[in-house]
């Protein structure tokens, strides 16, 4: 099957050109000047549209266990929603429960995801039990194509790792080329502030933000950076939300340290004012790190321009308002943490292009090319080039849409972006050569997505 995408503006991280893109089977086979190839089996007209490499969301949580419940998207509904929004690869997190092994955890996540995803997927591993066996099993995970390990400085008693445990895992990473991903918040201090708030009867969702001040993200980020420096391990800070944390990352990078960071659309567009919405509506915006005062947003956009923030992922972690977020009525600390967003990342970052915050090429770089390089998928993914997987988004920059629960495809009963007006939208999406979205319809199927055994990072070794 030969599909010709005609006369679009092809946007790669490295540049833009007017071209035709030929897809043969699952791969891109040629990029030519418009009109050079005259015949194909099928045609996609891309006049006045952008042709981008499919988005790569390197941070999602489908069916994730949290506080006795599970995030609401399955691997099928979540990857289908991703496709709707122009994301053709997700990297989700397998979650080691304390007392279990990394390899049994990996088996469990394969059982959840294999045969169910609508687009391609990979895994990171959350390490919540650092011991000799886990450290040894990190090597087997790497051999199985899972070479990035998330650790937590937050959530004492659940995922939390001590500095000593982090140090040991970083030593292992330094010797193997694995990537340590850090949830950098000082969970010990935060838990004290949370206990004080509850004891004083301050139980509303906004307290979630007030008890997790940005200084404690900055402090943890600095500490993670120092631990990485001592061990020689490279470091990737996940879901960076605060100016203080960004300053720590920028200083380390200026000093030549191999430190990278991602931010998420919610930190660029939403704020602690959303957490303060009345009638428990604020619970819809509870995630960790929390939404910050608006002043942080300009710094994050600047970080995206200067490359101190290299990746935008969603941290998609949907919990329904009804019955899930509501678990925390009367005690904000029991609200499941997470915000839905896998469907909207490409559109929301395109608003950054429209607003003049980032260029078109940078849009593609932070949402596709760099996550592909960072997580061992490049040049199979993350680029429109001959030989790459035909994961392609045809994007209409002129169309207008309004985000909301009535039109989104995520399996969650609210939208964090309800009523937000967006310029631009996905027109056609191909996943490995198959059209999965076109003409406002999903044409893919459960099980089309394949597991991606990833190479080591191109940046972090
Ligand atoms: O609140 C969040 N971010 N939930 C998902 C888990 C995590 O820490 O990434
Ligand atoms: Zn986290
Ligand atoms: Zn997360
Ligand atoms: Zn298929």
């Amino acid at each position: 099957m030969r599909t010709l995408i005609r006369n679009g503006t092809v946007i790669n991280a490295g540049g833009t050109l007017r071209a035709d893109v030929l897809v043969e089977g699952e791969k891109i086979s040629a990029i030519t000047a418009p009109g050079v190839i005259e015949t194909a089996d099928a045609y996609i007209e891309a006049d006045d549209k952008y042709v981008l490499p499919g988005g790569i969301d390197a941070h999602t949580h489908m069916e994730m266990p949290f506080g006795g419940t599970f995030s609401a998207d399955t691997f099928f509904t979540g990857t289908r929603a991703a496709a709707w929004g122009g994301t053709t690869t997700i990297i989700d997190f397998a979650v080691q429960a304390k007392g279990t092994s990394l390899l049994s955890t990996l088996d469990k996540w394969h059982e959840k995801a294999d045969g169910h995803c609508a687009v391609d997927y990979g895994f990171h591993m959350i390490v919540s039990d650092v011991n000799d066996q886990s450290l040894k099993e990190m090597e087997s995970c790497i051999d199985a194509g899972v070479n990035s390990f998330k650790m937590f400085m937050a959530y004492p008693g659940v995922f939390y790792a001590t500095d000593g445990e982090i140090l040991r895992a970083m030593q292992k990473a330094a010797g193997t080329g694995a990537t340590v991903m850090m949830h950098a918040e000082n969970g010990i201090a935060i838990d004290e502030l949370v206990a004080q708030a509850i004891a004083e009867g301050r139980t509303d969702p906004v307290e979630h933000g007030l008890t997790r001040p940005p200084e404690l993200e900055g402090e943890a980020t600095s500490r993670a950076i120092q631990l990485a420096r001592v061990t020689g391990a490279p470091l990737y800070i996940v879901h960076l939300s605060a100016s203080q944390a960004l300053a720590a990352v920028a200083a380390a990078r200026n000093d030549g340290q191999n430190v990278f960071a991602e931010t998420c659309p919610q930190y660029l567009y939403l704020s602690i004012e959303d957490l303060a919405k009345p009638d428990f509506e604020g619970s819809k915006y509870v995630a960790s790190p929390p939404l910050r005062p608006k002043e942080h947003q300009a710094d994050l956009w600047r970080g995206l321009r200067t490359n101190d923030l290299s990746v935008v992922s969603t941290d998609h972690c949907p919990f329904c308002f009804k019955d899930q977020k509501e678990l925390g009525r009367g005690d904000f600390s029991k609200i499941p943490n997470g915000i839905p967003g896998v469907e909207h990342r490409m559109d929301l970052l395109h608003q950054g292009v429209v607003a003049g915050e980032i260029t078109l090429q940078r849009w593609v770089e932070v949402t596709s090319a760099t996550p592909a390089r960072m997580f061992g998928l490049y040049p199979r993914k993350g680029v429109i080039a001959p030989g790459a997987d035909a994961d392609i988004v045809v994007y209409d920059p002129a169309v207008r849409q309004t985000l909301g629960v009535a039109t989104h495809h995520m399996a969650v009963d609210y939208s964090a972006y309800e009523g937000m007006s967006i310029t631009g939208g996905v027109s056609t999406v191909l996943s490995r050569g198959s059209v999965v979205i076109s003409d406002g319809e999903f044409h893919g199927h459960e099980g089309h997505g394949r597991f991606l055994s990833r190479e080591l990072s191109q940046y972090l070794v």
Side-chain angles (χ1 to χ4, degrees):
M1 172 83 173
R2 285 157 49 93
T3 303
L4 190 61
I5 304 172
R6 287 202 282 218
N7 208 29
T9 302
V10 174
I11 302 169
N12 275 315
T16 299
L17 78 166
R18 177 67 60 85
D20 289 355
V21 178
L22 184 66
V23 173
E24 290 190 81
E26 297 195 345
K27 299 279 184 188
I28 297 171
S29 62
I31 302 174
T32 72
V36 170
I37 298 168
E38 289 177 358
T39 56
D41 304 312
Y43 302 92
I44 296 169
E45 307 303 342
D47 304 69
D48 303 321
K49 299 199 173 96
Y50 301 147
V51 179
L52 335 166
I56 299 175
D57 192 339
H59 190 152
T60 67
H61 302 279
M62 312 301 174
E63 303 178 37
M64 190 193 82
F66 192 97
T69 186
F70 289 85
S71 60
D73 264 314
T74 64
F75 276 90
F76 177 50
T77 63
T79 52
R80 185 179 56 186
W84 272 105
T87 287
T88 52
T89 299
I90 64 158
I91 312 180
D92 207 273
F93 289 81
V95 187
Q96 181 195 29
K98 283 208 193 294
T100 67
S101 75
L102 294 187
L103 288 178
S104 66
T105 304
L106 195 51
D107 286 347
K108 202 166 159 184
W109 254 260
H110 272 298
E111 260 171 53
K112 284 174 189 255
D114 292 359
H116 296 293
C117 291
V119 298
D120 290 354
Y121 62 101
F123 294 134
H124 312 287
M125 176 63 69
I126 286 176
V127 182
S128 57
D129 203 346
V130 176
N131 53 45
D132 290 347
Q133 188 191 341
S134 295
L135 292 171
K136 182 95 200 85
E137 284 185 339
M138 283 171 71
E139 291 167 32
S140 311
C141 289
I142 294 167
D143 293 340
V146 176
N147 47 44
S148 34
F149 299 89
K150 184 180 176 190
M151 304 192 76
F152 287 78
M153 302 168 101
Y155 303 122
V158 191
F159 300 126
Y160 175 82
T162 64
D163 289 354
E165 289 166 342
I166 290 168
L167 186 99
R168 288 184 75 196
M170 284 181 169
Q171 286 170 331
K172 180 57 119 184
T176 55
T179 301
V180 172
M181 310 171 78
M182 190 61 69
H183 181 130
E185 288 186 292
N186 183 329
I188 300 287
I190 285 169
D191 271 16
E192 198 52 54
L193 293 175
V194 169
Q196 290 171 9
I198 301 289
E200 289 165 17
R202 294 184 276 118
T203 61
D204 287 347
V206 71
E207 298 294 338
H208 175 79
L210 299 175
T211 54
R212 306 180 89 91
E215 289 79 4
L216 294 183
E217 185 183 347
E219 183 278 328
T221 304
S222 300
R223 189 157 32 100
I225 287 169
Q226 296 308 330
L227 291 169
R229 180 180 287 242
V230 167
T231 58
L235 178 65
Y236 179 91
I237 303 289
V238 293
H239 48 46
L240 187 149
S241 73
S243 303
Q244 290 85 340
L246 179 59
V249 168
R253 287 171 61 81
N254 288 345
D255 222 16
Q257 201 177 333
N258 216 357
V259 174
F260 294 83
E262 70 176 14
T263 191
C264 311
Q266 54 271 31
Y267 302 121
L268 295 165
Y269 287 103
L270 305 174
S271 78
I272 194 160
E273 289 171 25
D274 293 292
L275 264 177
K277 283 183 178 164
D279 302 326
F280 203 60
E281 287 284 303
S283 67
K284 295 175 176 176
Y285 303 91
V286 166
S288 297
L291 301 179
R292 301 300 184 187
K294 279 207 175 87
E295 302 83 80
H296 293 253
Q297 293 173 356
D299 285 340
L300 297 183
W301 283 112
R302 183 175 40 78
L304 283 174
R305 288 190 293 277
T306 59
N307 205 34
D308 289 323
L309 296 170
S310 311
V311 170
V312 178
S313 310
T314 59
D315 195 10
H316 173 74
C317 193
F319 293 101
C320 287
F321 181 68
K322 191 168 161 33
D323 295 340
Q324 291 193 300
K325 291 290 187 181
E326 282 181 333
L327 293 168
R329 271 194 198 274
D331 179 351
F332 69 89
S333 70
K334 301 221 160 41
I335 300 169
N337 283 202
I339 295 176
V342 72
E343 188 169 348
H344 301 316
R345 185 181 60 124
M346 301 303 283
D347 284 331
L348 287 167
L349 268 290
H350 183 251
Q351 301 320 287
V353 178
V354 173
E357 296 280 7
I358 53 172
T359 64
L360 276 173
Q361 288 76 23
R362 188 68 181 150
W363 174 44
V364 168
E365 192 162 36
V366 298
T367 56
S368 183
T370 301
R373 288 185 193 277
M374 189 76 69
F375 295 109
L377 295 170
Y378 197 90
R380 180 171 167 193
K381 310 280 191 193
V383 62
I384 303 281
D389 281 358
D391 289 359
I392 301 175
V393 175
V394 180
Y395 194 86
D396 185 343
V399 79
R400 301 298 298 257
Q401 52 169 322
T402 303
L403 304 184
V405 67
T407 50
H408 78 200
H409 302 86
M410 300 173 286
V412 62
D413 63 358
Y414 74 94
S415 172
Y417 302 98
E418 190 66 47
M420 184 168 170
S421 168
I422 296 279
T423 302
V426 162
S427 163
T428 305
V429 179
L430 283 77
S431 165
R432 290 195 334 273
S434 298
V435 172
V436 291
I437 301 290
S438 74
D439 303 321
E441 275 183 47
F442 176 70
H443 300 280
H445 60 90
E446 186 167 357
H448 168 81
R450 287 201 198 126
F451 174 69
L452 298 165
S453 177
R454 294 180 290 112
E455 309 279 313
L456 293 179
S457 171
Q458 290 187 4
Y459 291 136
L460 294 166
V461 285

